[in-house]
Structures are given as structure tokens and as C-alpha cells.
Amino acid sequence: MDETMTENVQTAPFAPFEWMLSARYLRARRKEGFISVIAGFSFLGIMLGVATLIIVMAVMNGFRKELLDKILGLNGHILVQPLESPLTDWKDVAERISQVQGIRLAAPVVDGQALASSPWNASGVLVRGIRADDLNNLTSIAKNIKQGSLDGFDDGQGVAIGRRLADQLSLHAGDSVTLVAPKGAVTPMGTTPRIKPYKIVAVFEIGMSEYDLGFVFMPLAEAQAYFNRSSDVTSIEVFTTNPDQIDAFRKAVTEAAGRPVFLVDWRQRNSTFFNALQVERNVMFLILTMIVLVAALNIVSGLIMLVKDKGSDIAILRTMGASQGSIMRIFLITGASIGVVGTLVGFFVGLVICLNIESIRQFLSWLTSTELFSPELYFLSKLPAEIDVGETTAVVVMALTLSFLATLYPSWRAARLDPVEALRYE
């Protein structure tokens, strides 16, 4: 019977006594205080590393998604510009393009720069002439009207402006804004600026400061008259059902146009911005991974010190019949417990912060009396967070793998300890 018990002690994987000893080694004792401190720092390092990685990746994903939604919600996925001759046939071209499968909207527009002014302030803006039906189909505008209404937009000479522009000019729906264009009427004395007041029929708020401050929407016919484009438009903004598959639409849109055109898709128009965002995201991932790696190395140093301190205990266990595998598993459990618990706690901390990121930002802004995440710098009016399941899983798996690998060498060293040498001077 004794031989059977000894054999079970030697061969049973993760036997109860191994868990018991691992738990005992994790509990602090006075003479092992320094080892416990190292274990505590390892736990905090892994927890903070995992939580920070999850939060940063979620915020950067949310930042990209929000910017993409807002940019593509206002600007077309494909910009159709004329070649060889102006777009005087814009009605027919827009109608043909809108019939292409997968095309949600083909909106002719007239773009021009102007100065928007009020008795209190002035600001440079991009004036976009667009038909009322097309503007109502831009949900980023139509569903975010804060003052006034788009009803009868085509009937009068009213304009829709962004919330930040209205605040800067100290204007509201119903007030008048004066637009000054550099190219106006041609006289014997030269070209004079065109100055004309327009009633504000609606104030919108997309949530992206650059657009809320810099865009003014005007009826298409009025914009053609204002910018001296009586019969043509600047371009046609084409919106698709799937912006990620934009290459599949380019050939069909070119053929449907039925005339020489030049196409620019959203990736070309915003390539510098989104490439920089992707590079920053990858660099942040590598930098924050180093936090988890440093914490894993702390596990190595803590376990090596624990093995050295428990040399006599290991020798006694070996003389009582414990196998090298049992000794190795004891220290594997001890080190891996720090990594597993730290990773799980970091995961839950990161998840809770991501789900409440905007409330936390507002609280910190109130606490410090400063504006964190300024819309002027970051384009968005609130801090977004989009948790990607695949990325979060990769972070958790990476942390668990590093934590497990960190325990292998100290555990192997403990298993290789010679009982005779360990007990020689005891």
C-alpha cells in the first residue's frame, strides 16, 4: 500500500499536495517578505499591462471607427470629378450612377470656400451646395439637427451650419449669417467679392469638430448662382453600401458615368491620416506589451529566489518520494497563478473602464478642472471605445503565454535540485 501511495505521489498530475504547497508559497511570511513583494509587483505589472493594452486598443479602435463613420457619413466613398469638360450633364450622370447595384446615393455637389461672418465673429468655411433630398439621405446630418429643420430646404435661400460654427458666431436657427466669397461679379474694375446674407434654417452637430465648425450646406441651385456655376457642378459624391469593398465599385461607376471622369475613393482622400493612425496603433501595442514582458520577468526573479529559499524543503520532498515532475509542477502553479490571476483581473478592469470611458473622462475633467480629450485636437466631441473580441483575446492569450513561459526555467531549476547538496549543511 505504501508503494502505491508513493507511486501516486510521483505520477499524479497536479496532485492535491502540489496545489497545497503552491498556495502556501504564495502566502507571505515574515522572512519571505521580499519574495512576496516581487510577486506583488509581478501581479500588478501584468494586471496593469493587460488592462492598459485592452483600454488603449479599444480607444484607438473606437477612435478609428468614429472618425471613419463621420468622415464617410459626410463625404462620399467615391468622388466623381469631370475630365475634359465640365459636369453640365450632372443630372443624367448622377441618375445612371445611382442605378448601379450597391450604390446608395449619388449626390451632385457644388463646393466653394467662403468667409462666414456675424456682427460678433467670422470664420472660414466650406460651402457645399446639395439637393434637399440628398441632404436628407445623409443620416449624419439629417438625424443630428439640433435647431431648426430641413423642411423646405430647396424652396428658400436658407443654409444649415454646424453647432460649433453657430457657437463661434453666436448665432442660432432663424438668425442670418453673411457669406463672403472671393470671386463674385466681374466689373470693369475687376472681380469683386460676393457678399450675401442667408437665413440659418438648421443647426446640426455631427460630433466631429472639424465638420461642425467648417461646413455650411446650401441649396444646390443657390450655390450654383452664388459661385457662378449656372449649369454645372463641382463633383458627384457617391455613397456605397460597403466602403471596405470600394474597389468592386470603381469600374461599374466609371462605366455608368458614360463620359470621361476621374475617380478618387475615400482611402486616397484620407490615406495619410488613417496610415498614421495604424502606425501609432501598432507602436502602442508593442510598447505596452513590454509592460507585460517586464512583469513576466519579475515572476522569473521571484521564483528563482523562492527556489533558493526553499531548497531544503525541496530536498525533503524528494527524499519522501516526490518526483522531479511534482517539484516542477509546484513551482509552475506558483508562478502561473500570479500570471493567470493578474491577467484575469486586468481583463475585467480593462473591460469596466472601456464600458465607462466617457463617464470617467468627464469625471477626471471635472476633478482637474481641465478639458481632457479636447475636440479641437482630437476631432471628436467624446472619447470612444470599441472592444474588438479578437484583439482582446489575443492580449489575454499573450499575457497568459508570457506568464507560463516565465515559470519554466525556475521550475526546471527546482526540479533539478540535488537533495544531497541541499541538505549537506542543514
Side-chain angles (χ1 to χ4, degrees), residues 322-376:
S323 66
Q324 287 187 341
S326 293
I327 300 299
M328 187 170 184
R329 286 192 292 271
I330 289 170
F331 288 93
L332 274 175
I333 294 170
T334 303
S337 297
I338 299 171
V340 170
V341 175
T343 300
L344 293 179
V345 173
F347 169 74
F348 285 113
V349 169
L351 202 62
V352 169
I353 293 177
C354 286
L355 294 175
N356 299 278
I357 191 76
E358 178 60 18
S359 300
I360 294 172
R361 182 193 72 86
Q362 292 177 0
F363 171 74
L364 292 176
S365 295
W366 171 81
L367 193 65
T368 59
S369 299
T370 57
E371 186 177 17
L372 302 177
F373 196 76
S374 172
E376 288 82 1

